[in-house]
Amino acid sequence: MDKLVIEGGRRLKGVVNISGAKNSALPIMAASLLTDDTCVINNVPLLKDVDTMIKILRALETKVEKKKGTLIISGKCKKVKAPYDLVSTMRASVCVLGPLLAKKKYAEVSFPGGCVIGPRPIDLHLKGLERLGSEIKIKSGYILARTRKLKGAKIYLGGHFGSSVLATANTMMAATLAEGTTIIENAACEPETVDLANFLISMGAKIEGHSTPTMRIKGVKKLHGTRHAIVPDRVETGTYMLASAITGGELFLKNAKLAHLFAVVDKLRECGVKITEREDGVAVKRNPKQAVKPTTITTLPYPGFPTDMQAQMMSLLCLADGISVITEKIYPERFIHISELSRMGAHILLEGPNAIIKGVKNLNGADVMASDLRASAALVLAGLVAKDKTEVHRIYHLDRGYENLDKKLSRVGARIWREQE
Ligand code: EPZ
């Protein structure tokens, strides 16, 4: 396995190209199972998770061609079993459940795996599909879902922590081919859910209210092929905003859109970061002579502050001039980065889902490791500004979710490289 070596202390300056959103691309790839026609998907990020989803689609005997950032998915899927060895590595694999059920009336999908960020139940996925008229059993670690005919229903999809992005995706995808109308209450409103809905609409699905908590889907008999470009990745954008902020740098994030990042932008501005939107992207700048201001953050479903940006924001707040508080309301245990940031000299106290961060003057390089994608990104950010050398081990998770992170950072002045362990 590779590790990343970072020599901190360089101000980043230049242009970073923002890739397509991982969390849009994965469910959209699964949605292509809903048609026998060809779907062409552009602006797909080159990531391990995308490769895993390609393998799953191929295991279902669908044809997938990959040409740089374009995927051509075609042909009837013949198999209905998504196997453990693939599904266990990535949570988003569960997205094939809804489309397989709708198209083939039967699906066998292994329980999903993914990052270690606390319990990640799938009760809402199963509730959505059951309410549409399917019967679900769990056997030998697999979800077995069967239906004679899916029928539209009124479904409340709220859980203990609010709406669910992928449960909304699974239910919405299955409902596109159900008989009658489905109403999903407390539907996720994340930009990736909206991108998926737009993809389905371009295939002939009848969906309304897809950026609101009440989504209405009128089932159709058949969906057809389409061509679609994935939206820019808001979490990748946010991560590079923080790379600029933490190094007191000046980055232009090409293709980035602020529309999906208001909560993050609002907090960064509060911390003293200057952010300006232009036609082709977003400029992010922080004056290194001025201290980062502390703030309070609570993660919430969209349009609240995203949990996927919590760890990276914490790295910046470790260096703020005062005390900050972060409350994690989506995954109350998603704090794996705290122990690693503390190894680098951060002062953080964890009280249940609240992290209290007392800013320090400097972070120091160290050997660190994280088994969560965004936590790993937070450690890279800390490494960019830490004194001396930081080694981020087990970067498997970073490769799952950030396209060429090390190369993109080196191009704007970071001293970062990959070595074999
Ligand atoms: C999506 O995961 C993202 N993954 C995650 O991104 C992201 O952290 C998360 O949404 C929240 O925004 C993809 O899109 C591929 P949820 P998802 O269902 O859909 C609870 C990243 O770093 N819940 O919206 O699996 C759940 O435990 C990742 O890119 C239930 O209770 O998350 C959590 O507390 C990691 N029952 C809350 O809902 C369920 O059946 C929101 O989770 C499902 C979820």
Side-chain angles (χ1 to χ4, degrees):
M1 204 177 293
D2 286 352
K3 65 179 174 188
L4 281 180
V5 184
I6 307 162
E7 278 174 11
R10 301 187 122 214
R11 245 191 116 209
L12 303 190
K13 198 164 182 211
V15 178
V16 176
N17 285 316
I18 297 302
S19 306
K22 163 181 90 78
N23 290 347
S24 274
L26 299 172
I28 282 177
M29 289 168 71
S32 66
L33 291 169
L34 287 161
T35 177
D36 296 340
D37 299 345
T38 300
C39 294
V40 180
I41 311 170
N42 295 314
N43 202 30
V44 177
L46 304 174
L47 301 170
K48 272 233 167 72
D49 274 7
V50 167
D51 290 338
T52 304
M53 187 56 95
I54 292 176
K55 283 185 192 151
I56 292 174
L57 295 180
R58 285 184 180 149
L60 298 168
E61 293 196 359
T62 303
K63 258 174 65 190
V64 186
E65 260 181 273
K66 181 178 165 193
K67 293 182 184 160
K68 289 192 179 153
T70 296
L71 292 179
I72 304 161
I73 304 176
S74 56
K76 236 183 184 152
C77 89
K78 296 186 194 90
K79 294 257 166 77
V80 290
K81 180 169 178 173
Y84 170 78
D85 58 332
L86 296 172
V87 177
S88 59
T89 63
M90 181 180 83
R91 169 91 175 168
S93 326
V94 76
C95 285
V96 298
L97 186 60
L100 279 178
L101 186 66
K103 196 73 186 18
K104 312 296 280 185
K105 313 277 183 256
Y106 181 66
E108 278 183 40
V109 179
S110 170
F111 257 82
C115 287
V116 184
I117 55 180
R120 297 183 78 184
I122 55 162
D123 55 309
L124 295 173
H125 296 246
L126 306 187
K127 178 181 176 182
L129 299 177
E130 274 174 340
R131 294 282 292 117
L132 288 172
S134 64
E135 193 189 305
I136 298 198
K137 284 191 188 141
I138 310 293
K139 201 174 158 204
S140 312
Y142 276 78
I143 308 153
L144 313 183
R146 184 187 298 278
T147 185
R148 280 214 269 143
K149 190 192 246 179
L150 292 179
K151 285 202 172 149
K154 283 190 181 151
I155 309 169
Y156 179 76
L157 266 194
H160 191 60
F161 299 100
S163 53
S164 160
V165 176
L166 294 183
T168 302
N170 252 329
T171 310
M172 166 170 57
M173 289 190 279
T176 57
L177 292 180
E179 187 184 274
T181 299
T182 298
I183 295 171
I184 306 178
E185 282 291 2
N186 212 340
C189 304
E190 268 68 4
E192 296 77 19
T193 312
V194 176
D195 202 23
L196 171 64
N198 286 332
F199 176 75
L200 293 166
I201 291 168
S202 75
M203 293 170 88
K206 302 256 179 290
I207 304 176
E208 285 171 7
H210 44 289
S211 51
T212 76
T214 306
M215 197 186 279
R216 203 183 167 87
I217 305 135
K218 198 167 162 216
V220 294
K221 287 229 151 44
K222 211 173 154 196
L223 295 176
H224 52 73
T226 187
R227 181 180 274 275
H228 180 86
I230 301 292
V231 291
D233 195 315
R234 65 188 167 116
V235 184
E236 190 195 29
T237 304
T239 304
Y240 285 103
M241 281 181 169
L242 276 153
S244 186
I246 205 165
T247 62
E250 200 173 338
L251 292 182
F252 182 69
L253 311 180
K254 200 156 184 275
N255 307 324
K257 295 231 176 318
L258 282 198
H260 299 159
L261 274 161
F262 283 132
V264 174
V265 170
D266 190 55
K267 286 296 164 188
L268 283 175
R269 285 186 175 143
E270 220 178 289
C271 294
V273 182
K274 219 172 146 214
I275 300 169
T276 330
E277 183 155 38
R278 299 201 200 128
E279 213 173 285
D280 56 342
V282 174
V284 187
K285 189 174 164 182
R286 188 179 70 80
N287 181 348
K289 292 195 183 113
Q290 281 167 10
V292 174
K293 293 194 193 109
T295 187
T296 53
I297 287 170
T298 302
T299 66
L300 290 167
Y302 190 81
F305 193 95
T307 173
D308 290 347
M309 284 303 303
Q310 179 256 108
Q312 303 91 311
M313 193 72 190
M314 189 181 286
S315 294
L316 178 71
L317 297 179
C318 284
L319 293 161
D321 185 20
I323 291 177
S324 304
V325 179
I326 295 184
T327 303
E328 176 55 72
K329 290 238 177 169
I330 308 287
Y331 296 111
E333 294 172 29
R334 192 179 197 175
F335 283 119
I336 203 164
H337 39 288
I338 290 186
S339 55
E340 304 301 291
L341 287 170
S342 304
R343 291 167 62 76
M344 299 178 76
H347 284 183
I348 308 166
L349 177 72
L350 188 59
E351 276 282 330
N354 308 304
I356 300 144
I357 307 141
K358 186 171 168 220
V360 293
K361 284 256 171 319
N362 298 300
L363 292 173
N364 303 307
D367 282 271
V368 287
M369 165 160 80
S371 43
D372 159 21
L373 164 60
R374 309 303 172 189
S376 307
L379 299 176
V380 171
L381 292 174
L384 289 175
V385 75
K387 282 187 172 166
D388 305 325
K389 199 159 86 177
T390 297
E391 296 200 357
V392 184
H393 298 272
R394 293 194 68 215
I395 56 168
Y396 163 80
H397 282 284
L398 276 175
D399 291 335
R400 287 185 48 202
Y402 286 95
E403 184 177 299
N404 294 326
L405 178 74
D406 43 331
K407 287 194 188 128
K408 287 189 185 183
L409 284 171
S410 331
R411 270 185 224 127
V412 290
R415 282 195 46 78
I416 179 169
W417 63 94
R418 212 171 258 263
E419 280 181 14
Q420 272 202 330
E421 291 278 13

